[in-house]
């Protein structure tokens, strides 16, 4: 980004910190930082950024909110942190999170829970697992925050705290220096108070073009040029997108109208549809039938990958040894006490889930079937989007897959769209005491709208929109999610910016 954009970004954030944050939001201890820089100096041409605690920063702790890494300081820095520093970013601290990214509410942390600053009546969820990063942005402690999104871990906290949360296309942002949860799903993303700072970094700032040779999941420079519609051509400014809105078609997934969807979020979704129609865009219903099986498939695949990634944490080869964990107990292996004491309850649960699904007796019925469901999810998205997926061959739509009575756009099938619009979360931020009494399955339901885009590797962004008149459940704000085809990130950010202008949150 050039100096003018840096200065504008910093000035905007300073105004936010000084004028727009109600004092009552600081009446509770949000516990969003694990480590905070005391003397961070921001030049006029710079901006501040916070880093989720599973992203390495040299000379600072990287604990993943786990007792296993309580003493760990990384000898190197994550590529994305270096990239932000090169663009004028000033590091202000490491943010709290769910342990190893496993959770939807940022309550599963060795450093204590993160609380939502929007509510001072009772403690409420800030969303997870990047809850600390979302709160840091919400309170103005950082202009931009880094998070990771495996199944919604950036978008859900953004919706709960009323900020913007963006998950890029898989393979765009380097993951070198990120402690892995599920390698085929983990994506580094950004949170900010509005879309522009993110666009300035990713599109104008050129992160979309930077390949990292040290990250095997980073798309090569050749692939990036092939995926980008304009190649290396200068991208348009944020405000230059969609000069003719009548050329834009936005799909409303009918399969996302679930019984658990809160009426006020449904009303906000409908209001957004009306606003986009009045703007001039075409809005049509679409079907994504694999949605109903995406969530269970995710909770087979992600724990399976996690059980493999976390196998090295034993206190012998890696991680801190538990007290008394240096001798064998009767019938136990050397590191059983260390893993039992240092892993939190949710992490232990997911390791057991993943280990079982990878066992010889269960693999065919669970892991292999979940991989097939993932392909169906990807296929559904590719059929719905008008822009072809640059990584896969285009498949003709099989009309026999349609349900009776479903309207065809033409002889080739239903309408194809540029973007999808849906809620980010089915409910408003729940009370912490309610979350603690929920069963795991009830908690996992919060990811029902965010998981499909993660399984398909697509760009998705959560934007805050008005929801009622200061209603208690959501503080008058709901999160709506915009999804686009793979590597269509610039236009996804552009339509999200337009939505936030059409439905501003006061």
């Amino acid at each position: 980004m050039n100096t003018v954009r840096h200065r504008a970004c910093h000035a905007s954030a300073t105004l936010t910190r000084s004028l727009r944050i109600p004092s009552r939001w600081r009446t509770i201890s949000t516990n969003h930082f694990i480590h905070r820089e005391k003397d961070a100096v921001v030049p006029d041409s710079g901006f501040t950024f916070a880093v989720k605690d599973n992203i390495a920063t040299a000379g600072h702790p990287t604990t993943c909110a786990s007792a296993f890494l309580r003493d760990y300081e990384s000898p190197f820095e994550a590529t994305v942190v270096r990239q932000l520093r090169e663009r004028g970013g000033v590091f202000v601290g490491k943010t709290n999170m769910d342990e190893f990214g496993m959770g939807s509410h940022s309550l599963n942390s060795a450093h204590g829970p993160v609380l939502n600053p929007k509510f001072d009546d009772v403690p409420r969820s800030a969303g997870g697992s990047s809850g600390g990063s979302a709160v840091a942005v919400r309170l103005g402690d950082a202009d931009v925050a880094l998070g990771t999104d495996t199944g919604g871990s950036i978008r859900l906290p953004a919706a709960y705290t009323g900020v913007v949360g963006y998950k890029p296309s898989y393979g765009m942002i380097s993951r070198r220096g990120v402690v892995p949860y599920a390698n085929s799903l983990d994506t580094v993303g950004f949170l900010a108070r509005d879309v522009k700072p993110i666009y300035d970094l990713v599109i104008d700032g050129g992160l979309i073009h930077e390949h990292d040779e040290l990250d095997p999941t980073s798309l090569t420079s050749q692939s990036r040029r092939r995926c980008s519609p304009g190649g290396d051509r200068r991208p348009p400014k944020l405000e230059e997108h969609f000069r003719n809105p009548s050329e834009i078609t936005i799909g409303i997934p009918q399969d996302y109208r679930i019984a658990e969807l809160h009426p006020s979020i449904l009303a906000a979704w409908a209001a957004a549809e009306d606003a986009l129609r009045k703007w001039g865009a075409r809005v049509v219903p679409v079907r994504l039938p694999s949605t109903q099986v995406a969530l269970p498939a995710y909770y087979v695949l992600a724990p399976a990958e996690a059980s493999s990634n976390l196998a090295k944490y034993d206190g012998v080869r890696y991680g801190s040894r538990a007290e008394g964990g240096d001798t064998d107990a009767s019938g136990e292996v050397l590191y059983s006490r260390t893993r039992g004491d240092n892993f939190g309850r949710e992490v232990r649960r997911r390791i057991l889930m993943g280990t079982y699904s990878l066992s010889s007796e269960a693999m065919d019925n669970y892991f292999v079937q979940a991989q097939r469901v993932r392909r169906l999810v990807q296929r559904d998205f590719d059929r719905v989007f008008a822009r072809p997926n640059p990584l896969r061959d285009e498949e003709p739509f099989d009309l026999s897959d349609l349900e009776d009575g479903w309207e065809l756009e033409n002889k080739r099938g239903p309408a194809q769209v540029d973007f999808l619009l849906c809620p980010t979360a089915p409910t408003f931020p729940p009370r912490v005491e309610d979350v603690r009494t929920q069963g795991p399955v009830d908690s996992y339901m919060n990811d029902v709208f965010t998981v499909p885009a993660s399984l398909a590797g697509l760009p998705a962004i959560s934007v805050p929109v008005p929801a009622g008149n200061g209603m208690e459940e959501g503080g008058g704000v709901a999160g709506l999610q915009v999804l686009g085809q793979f590597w269509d990130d610039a236009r996804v950010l552009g339509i999200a910016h337009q939505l936030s202008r059409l439905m501003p949150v006061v």
Side-chain angles (χ1 to χ4, degrees):
M1 292 188 296
N2 60 33
T3 301
V4 174
R5 284 197 295 272
H6 279 315
R7 191 170 290 131
C9 176
H10 178 61
S12 174
T14 303
L15 180 65
T16 294
R17 287 195 289 268
S18 60
L19 297 180
R20 287 171 34 190
I21 299 175
S23 60
R24 71 179 182 88
W25 286 11
R26 293 189 181 270
T27 60
I28 62 171
S29 176
T30 52
N31 194 35
H32 53 294
F33 275 111
I34 289 173
H35 164 80
R36 192 164 186 176
E37 292 286 87
K38 296 180 180 179
D39 302 314
V41 178
V42 186
D44 289 341
S45 60
F47 62 95
T48 58
F49 71 94
V51 179
K52 188 177 178 180
D53 195 40
N54 62 344
I55 302 175
T57 46
H60 300 287
T62 301
T63 73
C64 295
S66 176
F68 240 126
L69 295 175
R70 57 182 173 268
D71 300 321
Y72 179 71
E73 288 191 5
S74 173
F76 70 97
E77 194 153 76
T79 297
V80 67
V81 175
R82 171 184 59 78
Q83 290 170 329
L84 263 59
R85 291 189 194 274
E86 291 173 350
R87 287 161 173 77
V90 176
F91 169 72
V92 295
K94 301 298 287 290
T95 56
N96 203 352
M97 56 180 282
D98 283 302
E99 184 181 6
F100 288 104
M102 300 184 193
S104 300
H105 300 287
S106 294
L107 304 179
N108 308 320
S109 171
H111 304 282
V114 181
L115 299 181
N116 197 323
K118 288 176 58 181
F119 307 92
D120 58 359
D121 51 352
V122 294
R124 291 180 182 260
S125 167
S129 62
S130 305
S133 291
V135 173
V137 168
R138 178 71 267 175
L139 292 178
D141 294 328
D143 299 331
V144 177
L146 288 175
T148 57
D149 193 308
T150 305
S153 292
I154 286 175
R155 291 161 286 160
L156 188 62
Y160 280 1
T161 58
V163 301
V164 173
Y166 162 61
K167 182 196 86 69
S169 294
Y170 181 85
M172 177 183 293
I173 306 299
S174 171
R175 282 201 350 236
R176 178 180 179 266
V178 177
V179 179
Y181 165 18
N183 296 68
S184 73
L185 296 161
D186 291 343
T187 308
V188 175
F190 304 86
L191 298 108
R193 288 186 66 89
D194 55 62
V195 178
K196 191 174 190 309
I198 298 174
Y199 192 91
D200 287 346
L201 285 169
V202 177
I203 309 302
D204 272 359
L207 287 178
I208 190 173
H209 298 303
E210 291 197 14
H211 165 62
D212 184 2
E213 294 181 353
L214 299 176
D215 174 16
T217 67
S218 176
L219 253 67
T220 64
S221 298
Q222 182 180 4
S223 296
R224 290 168 190 257
R225 286 192 294 272
R226 180 166 59 88
C227 291
S228 300
D232 291 329
R233 191 174 56 200
R234 185 191 72 82
K237 299 296 182 184
L238 183 61
E239 296 79 10
E240 294 175 357
H241 286 280
F242 316 121
R243 294 189 180 277
N244 186 0
S246 63
E247 297 177 354
I248 302 301
T249 303
I250 297 171
I252 306 299
Q254 301 304 296
D255 305 89
Y256 284 41
R257 299 183 185 276
I258 60 176
E260 295 83 359
L261 186 59
H262 193 286
S264 294
I265 296 178
L266 181 61
W269 190 13
E273 292 181 45
D274 291 340
L276 290 166
R277 283 195 182 95
K278 291 177 182 178
W279 175 53
R282 181 184 179 215
V283 182
V284 299
V286 297
R287 292 300 305 269
L288 297 168
S290 61
T291 295
Q292 58 186 331
V293 289
L295 189 65
Y298 169 84
Y299 276 103
V300 170
L301 297 174
E305 295 188 36
S307 69
S308 176
N309 280 325
L310 298 183
K312 62 180 175 285
Y313 293 88
D314 54 18
V316 178
R317 298 167 296 174
Y318 201 76
S320 301
R321 181 76 63 86
E323 185 176 349
D326 54 352
T327 59
D328 286 338
S330 176
E332 295 181 345
V333 295
L334 174 63
Y335 45 82
S336 60
R337 178 176 296 179
T338 293
R339 289 174 68 84
D341 289 354
N342 283 337
F343 281 138
R345 183 177 180 181
E346 182 61 29
V347 174
R348 294 198 303 269
R349 177 185 292 118
R350 297 197 190 194
I351 289 174
L352 291 173
M353 289 167 54
T355 302
Y356 175 72
S357 67
L358 291 175
S359 65
S360 59
E361 63 183 38
M363 177 173 280
D364 287 345
N365 288 332
Y366 291 93
F367 187 77
V368 173
Q369 294 290 355
Q371 292 284 22
R372 290 172 178 162
V373 168
R374 185 176 192 174
R375 289 293 300 153
L376 293 176
V377 171
Q378 293 168 340
R379 186 195 65 176
D380 280 357
F381 280 121
D382 287 346
R383 287 176 171 178
V384 161
F385 287 124
R387 178 171 290 191
N389 190 316
L391 298 184
R392 285 190 287 272
D393 294 333
E394 190 170 2
E395 297 181 21
F397 196 96
D398 188 350
L399 298 183
S400 65
D401 291 342
L402 289 177
E403 297 179 5
D404 292 340
W406 192 248
E407 184 177 348
L408 298 180
E409 174 78 358
N410 50 47
K411 65 180 181 181
R412 299 184 62 184
Q416 290 187 306
V417 303
D418 297 288
F419 310 102
L420 296 171
L421 177 70
C422 66
T424 307
T427 66
F428 290 107
R431 298 185 302 175
V432 170
E433 62 180 287
D434 293 336
V435 174
R436 295 197 184 281
T437 59
Q438 282 181 341
V441 174
D442 292 329
S443 182
Y444 299 162
M445 272 297 298
N446 291 281
D447 303 331
V448 65
F449 296 146
T450 55
V451 155
S454 295
L455 289 174
L458 302 180
I461 183 169
S462 178
V463 179
V465 299
N469 298 315
M471 57 170 296
E472 231 178 79
E473 297 98 323
V477 179
L480 292 184
Q481 187 179 202
V482 177
L483 291 74
Q485 180 58 283
F486 184 81
W487 218 260
D488 201 9
D489 294 63
R491 296 204 312 157
V492 167
L493 290 166
I495 200 69
H497 174 68
Q498 186 62 46
L499 178 61
S500 64
R501 292 177 61 186
L502 294 172
M503 301 187 69
V505 175
V506 180

